[in-house]
Amino acid sequence: MAFALNTYPITYRSKFTDGKWPQEYLEKPHKTQEEEAAMSEDARAKLENSRNHYEDMPLVNYTSQYGLACFEGLKALPQKNGGLAIFRPDKNAARFARSMEGLKMPPFPDKLFMEACIETVKRNAALGFYPHYESAWEKDSYMTANSVYIRPFTIAEGGIGVNLSSEPYVMVINTPVSSYFSSGRSDAIVSDKVRAMPNGTGWIKACSNYVISALAKSQALKDGYMECVFLDGTNRKYIEEGSSCNIFFYLKSGELVTPELGDTILPGITRESIIELARDKGIKVQERKISIDEAMEEAKECFVSGTAAGATPLTSLTYQGKKAVFNDGNTGELTIEIRDTIKGIQYGKLPDTKGWMVKV
């Protein structure tokens, strides 16, 4: 399933007006989740399509014309003991506000962000739109588990001509989501494209950043790889991140290295969580520049991290025709430990000693 454009019926909307954020919850046409699943493919597609259209919003705006927008991605995960919980939504709220400020928009308040995310999930769940916990997910460390994907995003007010957004909309939708990466594939290639340049928007979760990512990822898939990796735009030497995820290298020295944050790298929430978990386990973690040569010669394990990716292993990395294979092509022990720990906390199999999970 991965991401699916099957928006749940309840959507949140707010538009910055006269210095305030008035809120509304919109309920789109729907049947029960079971009834929709039993519909013909055409009928279900028509119903789902109706939930993705809003005739009272401007078609021509600074988002549709120039990509001026930002978004977030977080999950509400079924819990082993029942119910749903969201992973670290306060961090997403803060990053969303920073992104909006970076794009010179009025920032959406953290409190409203939290309320909107929790309430949309709660209202959709009350209508039966949510996945139930399955013990079978534990067999593959939740790599194929389902969850509710929460997508907050901005849409600019109507306008044409290059300009900023002073009265943006903030929307929050819910969709079903499962595994992001294809199972059985774990090879990556270094892209020749540049994702971000200094003094740009690489640190913002801006919609425009993902155009290059989509192009590079598409080419990687066409060439038989699961993922692509970007180098810095200045020296074309240092690793920055994957197509839509941060990246880690576990070196032969016993150090876990991830590229240091700057204005070209997105500050990932899963990244931050993994750093904390690894240090709790006594692993020396370094946030610093790591060259492609060092990574290919000194890394014994490699994995990417993100809301969608979790902690997903890369068993090889190809650069200019040279291929480095990590851990003999198998998922490494540290990668497994980190993956199982973070997934276990998220799905309620392991105790949440850090208070990261917020119940819906």
Side-chain angles (χ1 to χ4, degrees):
M1 175 172 56
F3 289 109
L5 189 57
N6 178 12
T7 308
Y8 288 166
I10 304 296
T11 296
Y12 171 91
R13 182 170 68 179
S14 180
K15 185 179 187 295
F16 191 68
T17 307
D18 297 328
K20 298 180 181 179
W21 291 97
Q23 304 178 78
E24 58 180 335
Y25 290 89
L26 309 175
E27 184 169 345
K28 287 288 194 171
H30 65 89
K31 299 179 182 295
T32 67
Q33 197 169 35
E34 292 75 17
E35 288 171 338
E36 290 189 11
M39 294 171 70
S40 70
E41 185 174 340
D42 287 345
R44 186 170 63 253
K46 185 176 181 180
L47 178 61
E48 292 172 355
N49 187 54
S50 71
R51 296 204 283 254
N52 295 315
H53 288 81
Y54 295 84
E55 295 180 355
D56 58 344
M57 297 181 72
L59 172 65
V60 179
N61 58 63
Y62 305 127
T63 300
S64 66
Q65 304 304 297
Y66 311 109
L68 184 69
C70 59
F71 68 95
E72 275 299 323
L74 56 165
K75 290 180 179 180
L77 304 110
Q79 299 298 286
K80 187 175 177 66
N81 62 353
L84 296 163
I86 303 175
F87 181 68
R88 309 195 77 177
D90 56 318
K91 294 291 184 179
N92 293 91
R95 189 172 65 180
F96 191 57
R98 290 196 304 271
S99 290
M100 293 182 74
E101 288 177 323
L103 296 176
K104 306 302 182 184
M105 296 178 186
F108 193 57
D110 290 11
K111 181 180 179 182
L112 294 186
F113 181 100
M114 295 274 287
E115 290 175 355
C117 290
I118 293 169
E119 190 65 21
T120 52
V121 173
K122 184 180 295 185
R123 293 190 183 206
N124 281 311
L127 296 175
F129 286 82
Y130 70 99
H132 295 272
Y133 187 93
E134 297 180 24
S135 57
W137 295 341
E138 299 175 20
K139 296 178 181 179
D140 67 354
S141 300
Y142 301 96
M143 294 302 289
T144 57
N146 297 331
S147 59
V148 178
Y149 188 74
I150 308 168
R151 170 55 63 83
F153 60 97
T154 67
I155 295 179
E157 68 274 28
I160 193 166
V162 178
N163 209 337
L164 299 176
S165 174
S166 60
E167 296 182 337
Y169 293 87
V170 168
M171 309 285 293
V172 180
I173 64 167
N174 295 168
T175 67
V177 67
S178 60
S179 176
Y180 180 61
F181 288 112
S182 301
S183 59
R185 301 176 64 189
S186 56
D187 297 304
I189 186 171
V190 175
S191 176
D192 60 0
K193 295 187 180 300
V194 176
R195 176 190 170 273
M197 290 295 291
N199 300 313
T201 61
W203 62 277
I204 298 172
K205 202 165 176 65
C207 296
S208 55
N209 291 347
Y210 290 80
V211 175
I212 293 296
S213 292
L215 293 172
K217 177 69 175 284
S218 176
Q219 186 62 50
L221 292 173
K222 183 179 179 180
D223 293 339
Y225 298 91
M226 180 187 78
E227 176 62 313
C228 64
V229 173
F230 293 105
L231 301 181
D232 73 285
T234 302
N235 301 295
R236 305 297 294 142
K237 174 181 178 181
Y238 298 103
I239 292 175
E240 295 211 321
E241 54 180 271
S243 64
S244 57
C245 42
N246 297 116
I247 191 166
F248 287 81
F249 296 92
Y250 188 39
L251 305 184
K252 298 170 185 176
S253 64
E255 298 170 326
L256 182 63
V257 178
T258 190
E260 62 187 3
L261 296 179
D263 63 2
T264 60
I265 295 178
L266 186 72
I269 293 157
T270 306
R271 172 190 181 277
E272 178 183 333
S273 304
I274 288 173
I275 289 172
E276 186 172 338
L277 291 174
R279 285 174 173 159
D280 288 348
K281 296 177 183 296
I283 301 295
K284 181 179 180 180
V285 182
Q286 289 189 329
E287 299 176 74
R288 63 168 174 83
K289 292 182 183 298
I290 180 168
S291 69
I292 181 62
D293 290 338
E294 181 185 5
M296 295 186 72
E297 293 172 7
E298 299 299 326
K300 58 182 179 180
E301 296 182 31
C302 175
F303 61 89
V304 290
S305 69
T307 298
T312 299
L314 297 181
T315 53
S316 77
L317 182 59
T318 297
Y319 174 59
Q320 295 183 342
K322 181 181 178 182
K323 182 177 182 179
V325 177
F326 308 117
N327 199 47
D328 296 324
N330 300 306
T331 303
E333 290 183 7
L334 180 62
T335 302
I336 291 172
E337 188 175 2
I338 291 293
R339 178 196 67 193
D340 291 357
T341 300
I342 200 161
K343 288 289 186 180
I345 293 171
Q346 289 177 333
Y347 283 92
K349 182 182 179 182
L350 297 178
D352 175 25
T353 59
K354 296 181 178 294
W356 285 347
M357 305 304 297
V358 175
K359 292 183 179 180
V360 173

